[in-house]
RNA sequence: GGACCCGUAGCUCAGCUGGAUAGAGUACCUGACUACGAAUCAGGGGGUCAGAGGUUCGAAUCCUCUCGGGUCCA
């Protein structure tokens, strides 16, 4: 039940009856007509911009339209007042029963409260993490992982058919580096003293892989030339790294539907097919790029190469798909990979990248636009950097020295729930400060705690009820929700009613952080109502001498709990029943 | 040099894709436990939405330029 879309339907109906009566032209587009919560609650329960949006195309005065609309809306028993305000806003008030109906609706839906069919089963592919298989996931990957996973859940909840996908970059030179590094660890496992020159990975995490190589191959690879072991170790090490990465993701409760290998694109004709597809559209040519504008790199020289005319699809310059020596660029397999996604029949693609891949956005969008003839939209979400703090001090890490903070470090220290929630309390395109101490702090300064506390507090009330010998569930089932008429209660109900609408907006804009902020607001409404009971005993949840009132209040807070739980689960955070 | 992201209260950030008097937390000041957890709540002060133009009924939001920070650039 989405009260806002219900009322919007009423508005559209009224507008259509105005058209039928000749008060409005018949060829109007209603898509921009919105019904929203007013910024200031004093204005009413809901506001619509219909009159202002339609004034120009209808060639009429907005206030005149609004007045006609108000007259028709008042015929409904749901609308109790409709006032024209300002330049042509129409402020509506709803009958109290319209609001309270959200409570049983939430209770009946339970964990599915807010689920929407907005996505209409469209197939969406969300690609995220996609970290190189050369080591464990670190903090930056964690943010992308959490964001991508919450986004995927959000879209699923909003009625899309979602595929979660990880692209394994196992085709490039970095996998050779990995294999050589593992070889060194293998030698080490065989008792040799080794050092790690520049261009190898010195991290300790490869020690166990070296051991595993020894277990499998014994001493047969020692003193062998690189050609003898490189291909085998590349395969072996990539597998080992992916096992490690899968385990890391599992720590956050993330499970991918598809792991897609870059390597699988080579030698199978898939890259060639993708480039051919572009070629057939006249978008591939042999040419020379202009030098980069401004400062010229020292070693710049014009080179003939195979180029993709990405400028025809919104890019700034054309992009090479083959180097001058005839080998593929990194871009070519990326094109082939996205071509494959298009061919798998996805209606929408979403890529979650780290901010350092910002430069790829335009060319990737151009490629997908070209490959799908503009049919499949690609949205690319960049997650900005995470800055770590400990005791208020920036926490330094160095990838070169192998001392970076891993996903595992984070989860071990603060837990999966806190890690996930905190990472979602910022827009993806804003940098994030992650303070180890703050995340564990038990105060309202810490949103994880604050929201969990509200959920647990409600549980505590329900527990208290049963301790008093009252069966809360049957009481709630028989509750007369229209007893909930105090302002403090209505305010909570209105916040609950916003949930289905908020969820659709968050899904529409691919912004899971809105869910996190909403949950904080809802928790705040609840804490506020709790405290109101101290000044006004009639607002207390448990009133043993007034069971009917108690029933309605328990129904209310239980619906708050249901909403909090639905939102938390969506973000991958466990709603807890008791604070430690 | 160019591209992308960001700039909102002292600090950390929201702001529902163009709506009404720009909101939270924190910090500061004042107040509320005979209680279902005060791990919370109520109230107060605090703003040139980086700056300047433009678009229109209406701009923190869209466009242009400038300044500042970040990321990237065969």
């Amino acid at each position: 039940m989405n009260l806002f879309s219900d009322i919007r339907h009423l508005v559209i109906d009224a507008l259509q009856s105005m058209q039928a009566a000749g008060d409005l032209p018949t060829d109007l587009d209603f898509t921009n007509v919105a019904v929203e919560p007013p910024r200031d609650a004093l204005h009413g329960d809901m506001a619509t911009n219909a009159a202002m949006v339609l004034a120009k195309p209808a060639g009429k005065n907005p206030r005149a339209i609004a007045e006609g609309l108000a007259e028709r809306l008042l015929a409904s028993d749901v609308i109790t007042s409709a006032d024209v305000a300002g330049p042509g806003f129409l402020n509506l008030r709803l009958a109290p029963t319209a609001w309270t109906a959200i409570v049983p609706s939430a209770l009946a839906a339970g964990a599915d409260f807010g689920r929407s069919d907005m996505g209409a089963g469209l197939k969406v592919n969300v690609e995220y993490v996609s970290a190189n298989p050369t080591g464990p996931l670190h903090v930056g990957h964690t943010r992308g992982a959490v964001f991508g996973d919450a986004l995927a859940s959000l879209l699923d909840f909003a009625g899309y058919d979602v595929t979660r996908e990880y692209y394994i970059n196992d085709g490039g030179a970095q996998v050779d580096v990995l294999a050589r590094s593992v070889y060194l660890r293998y030698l080490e496992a065989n008792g040799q003293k080794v050092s790690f020159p520049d261009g190898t990975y010195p991290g300790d995490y490869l020690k166990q892989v070296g051991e595993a190589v020894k277990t499998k191959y014994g001493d047969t690879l020692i003193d062998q030339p690189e050609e003898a072991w490189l291909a085998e170790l590349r395969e072996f090490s990539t597998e080992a790294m992916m096992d490690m990465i899968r385990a890391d993701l599992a720590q956050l409760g993330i499970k991918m539907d598809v792991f897609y290998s870059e390597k699988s694109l080579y030698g199978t004709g898939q890259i060639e097919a993708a480039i051919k597809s572009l070629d057939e559209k006249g978008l591939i040519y042999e040419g020379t790029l202009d030098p980069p504008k401004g400062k010229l790199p020292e070693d710049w020289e014009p080179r003939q190469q195979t180029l993709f005319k990405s400028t025809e699809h919104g890019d700034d310059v054309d992009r090479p798909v083959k180097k001058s020596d005839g080998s593929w660029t990194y871009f070519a397999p990326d094109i082939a990979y996205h071509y494959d996604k298009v061919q798998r029949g996805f209606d929408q693609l979403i890529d979650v990248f780290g901010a350092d891949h910002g430069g790829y956005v335009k060319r990737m969008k151009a490629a997908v636009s070209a490959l799908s003839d503009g049919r499949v939209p690609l949205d690319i979400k960049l997650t900005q950097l995470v800055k770590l703090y400990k005791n208020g001090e920036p926490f330094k890490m160095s990838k070169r020295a192998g001392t970076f903070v891993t996903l595992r470090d984070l989860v071990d220290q603060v837990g999966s729930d806190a890690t996930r929630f905190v990472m979602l309390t910022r827009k993806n395109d804003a940098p994030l400060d992650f303070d180890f101490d703050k995340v564990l702090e038990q105060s309202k300064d810490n949103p994880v705690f604050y929201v969990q506390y509200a959920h647990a507090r409600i549980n505590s009330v329900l527990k208290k009820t049963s301790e008093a010998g009252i069966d809360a569930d049957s009481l709630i089932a028989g509750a007369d929700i229209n007893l909930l008429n105090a302002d403090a209660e209505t305010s909570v109900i209105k916040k609950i009613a916003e949930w289905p609408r908020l969820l659709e907006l968050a899904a529409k804009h691919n912004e899971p952080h809105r869910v996190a902020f909403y949950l904080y607001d809802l928790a705040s409404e609840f804490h506020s109502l709790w405290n109101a009971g101290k000044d006004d005993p009639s607002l207390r949840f448990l009133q043993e001498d007034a069971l009917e009132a108690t029933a309605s209040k328990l129904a209310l807070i239980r619906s708050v709990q249901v909403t909090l739980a639905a939102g938390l689960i969506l973000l991958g955070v466990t709603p807890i029943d008791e604070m430690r």
Side-chain angles (χ1 to χ4, degrees):
Chain A
M1 162 171 177
N2 184 340
L3 204 45
F4 290 87
S5 57
D6 291 353
I7 301 302
R8 183 171 182 275
H9 280 127
L10 281 182
V11 170
I12 301 290
D13 287 348
L15 290 170
Q16 282 167 347
S17 90
M18 288 171 75
Q19 286 178 315
D23 294 341
L24 284 175
T26 50
D27 57 341
L28 288 177
D29 179 8
F30 293 146
T31 50
N32 287 328
V33 171
V35 172
E36 307 171 324
R39 180 156 297 196
D40 189 335
L42 291 175
H43 294 136
D45 290 335
M46 292 187 185
T48 178
N49 61 355
M52 284 178 291
V53 172
L54 298 176
K56 195 175 263 181
K60 299 194 74 160
N61 179 328
R63 291 191 64 104
I65 298 177
E67 275 158 22
L69 183 59
E71 197 177 312
R72 282 180 166 76
L73 285 173
L74 283 170
S76 156
D77 10 305
V78 177
I79 310 288
T80 57
S81 80
D83 301 319
V84 183
F89 278 105
L90 189 56
N91 291 323
L92 307 173
R93 277 182 205 285
L94 273 52
T97 51
W99 286 113
T100 48
I102 199 78
V103 170
S105 160
L107 292 174
D112 285 329
F113 178 49
R115 198 173 271 281
S116 160
D117 56 5
M118 179 183 92
L122 286 177
K123 287 181 68 176
V124 182
N125 182 292
V126 185
E127 181 207 329
Y128 56 110
V129 192
S130 296
N132 283 343
T134 54
L137 299 178
H138 57 69
V139 189
H141 300 131
T142 308
R143 185 171 186 190
V146 168
F147 174 83
D149 200 55
L151 174 58
S153 300
L154 173 62
L155 293 174
D156 177 84
F157 208 69
Y160 292 88
D161 178 7
V162 179
T163 298
R164 297 157 197 254
E165 190 152 319
Y166 186 119
Y167 181 57
I168 309 171
N169 286 283
D170 53 3
Q174 75 276 9
V175 196
D176 289 340
V177 174
L178 173 70
R180 291 190 194 106
S181 309
V182 165
Y183 185 70
L184 290 172
R185 288 296 184 190
Y186 161 74
L187 296 179
E188 186 182 49
N190 278 286
Q192 297 196 18
K193 194 163 167 51
V194 297
S195 64
F196 290 85
D198 277 358
T200 56
Y201 302 130
D204 284 347
Y205 58 89
L206 290 179
K207 276 185 182 167
Q208 46 178 315
V209 185
E211 292 284 349
V213 173
K214 182 187 169 193
T215 306
K216 182 172 178 189
Y217 294 95
D219 58 4
T220 60
L221 301 182
I222 300 177
D223 294 332
Q224 296 291 315
E226 189 171 287
E227 303 84 69
W229 48 261
L230 187 67
E232 294 234 29
L233 285 197
R234 208 161 45 197
E235 186 94 2
F236 188 92
S237 312
T238 307
E239 271 310 308
M241 289 302 101
M242 286 312 297
D243 284 345
M244 184 186 288
I245 287 170
R246 272 186 272 261
D248 284 350
L249 290 174
Q251 292 254 301
L252 280 175
I254 294 176
K255 202 164 175 296
M256 295 287 174
D257 297 314
V258 176
F259 284 89
Y260 196 101
S261 159
E262 175 194 357
K263 206 176 55 189
S264 74
L265 294 166
Y266 289 94
T268 55
Q270 293 195 72
I271 299 179
E272 291 77 2
I275 302 303
K276 183 164 170 251
S277 161
L278 293 177
D279 198 12
E280 284 166 357
K281 300 176 202 296
L283 295 172
I284 297 290
Y285 67 102
E286 299 293 323
T288 310
L289 286 176
D290 291 336
K293 299 214 169 80
K295 237 193 302 180
L296 218 59
E298 302 270 325
D299 58 344
W300 190 87
E301 55 186 44
R303 288 180 209 154
Q304 177 90 2
Q305 37 189 188
T306 307
L307 299 165
F308 163 44
K309 211 180 281 179
S310 55
T311 45
E312 289 211 352
H313 288 266
D315 203 355
D316 303 313
V317 292
D318 291 342
R319 305 290 176 177
V321 295
K322 267 186 187 174
K323 302 178 199 164
S324 48
D325 66 5
S327 63
W328 297 116
T329 60
Y330 285 112
F331 188 33
D334 287 342
I335 292 173
Y337 173 46
H338 283 79
Y339 185 49
D340 185 71
K341 287 192 206 175
V342 168
Q343 290 196 314
R344 275 187 275 158
F346 290 106
D347 299 298
Q348 290 179 38
L349 303 180
I350 299 174
D351 289 353
V352 179
F353 290 164
D356 54 346
H357 285 66
Y360 286 3
V361 171
K362 281 192 179 179
R363 73 190 68 172
M364 251 6 281
K365 285 190 173 181
V368 170
S369 167
L371 289 166
S372 72
D373 296 314
R375 187 181 59 81
V376 179
L378 167 67
D379 189 11
I380 298 184
K381 306 297 271 190
L382 299 178
T383 55
Q384 289 292 329
L385 297 183
V386 178
K387 272 190 262 173
L388 292 171
Y389 289 85
K390 215 162 190 174
N391 306 318
E393 297 284 315
F395 195 73
K396 290 217 182 85
M397 45 183 218
S398 154
K399 197 168 183 182
R400 172 171 291 192
T403 61
F404 47 89
V405 175
T406 63
L407 180 151
R408 195 165 287 265
D409 293 335
L410 274 186
V411 175
D412 284 350
Q413 287 192 47
V414 308
S416 168
D417 287 340
T419 302
R420 292 188 67 127
F421 199 99
V422 169
M423 294 239 169
L424 291 167
T425 51
R426 203 106 313 170
K427 279 183 299 198
N428 59 288
D429 48 12
L432 170 74
D433 290 344
F434 191 99
D435 189 323
F436 280 95
D437 308 303
K438 274 240 169 79
V439 170
L440 293 174
E441 193 176 295
Q442 305 208 334
S443 78
K444 65 188 293 193
D445 191 20
N446 179 1
V448 194
F449 171 80
Y450 188 76
V451 174
Q452 293 278 33
Y453 181 35
H455 187 272
R457 243 183 170 180
I458 293 167
N459 199 63
S460 158
V461 177
L462 297 173
K463 203 170 91 188
K464 193 86 181 175
T465 313
S466 58
E467 279 170 13
I470 302 172
D471 181 354
D473 286 340
S474 61
L475 206 55
I476 289 171
D480 176 5
I481 47 159
N482 288 320
L483 295 175
L484 298 168
N485 51 20
D487 286 349
E489 292 164 340
T490 308
S491 167
V492 176
I493 291 171
K494 287 180 178 174
K495 188 50 87 174
I496 295 172
E498 277 179 36
W499 167 241
R501 174 176 180 271
L502 178 120
L503 184 111
E504 291 189 349
L505 281 169
K508 185 176 164 194
H509 296 110
N510 296 331
E511 292 183 341
H513 76 274
R514 293 194 195 198
V515 174
F517 281 96
Y518 169 80
L519 292 176
Y520 188 91
D521 286 347
L522 178 59
S524 175
E525 287 285 352
F526 168 74
H527 287 308
S528 179
L529 180 60
W530 174 298
N531 278 275
K534 293 175 184 172
D535 294 333
D536 179 354
S538 75
L539 290 175
R540 289 183 162 210
F541 304 139
L542 287 186
Q543 311 203 4
E544 293 181 31
D545 53 345
L547 277 184
E548 283 183 10
T550 302
S552 67
K553 291 171 199 304
L554 291 183
L556 173 60
I557 63 169
R558 176 79 186 121
S559 67
V560 171
Q561 192 184 35
V562 159
T563 310
L564 289 173
L568 285 170
I569 289 168
L570 190 121
L571 299 181
V573 179
T574 324
I576 59 176
D577 288 337
E578 212 166 322
M579 305 306 291
R580 287 178 282 112

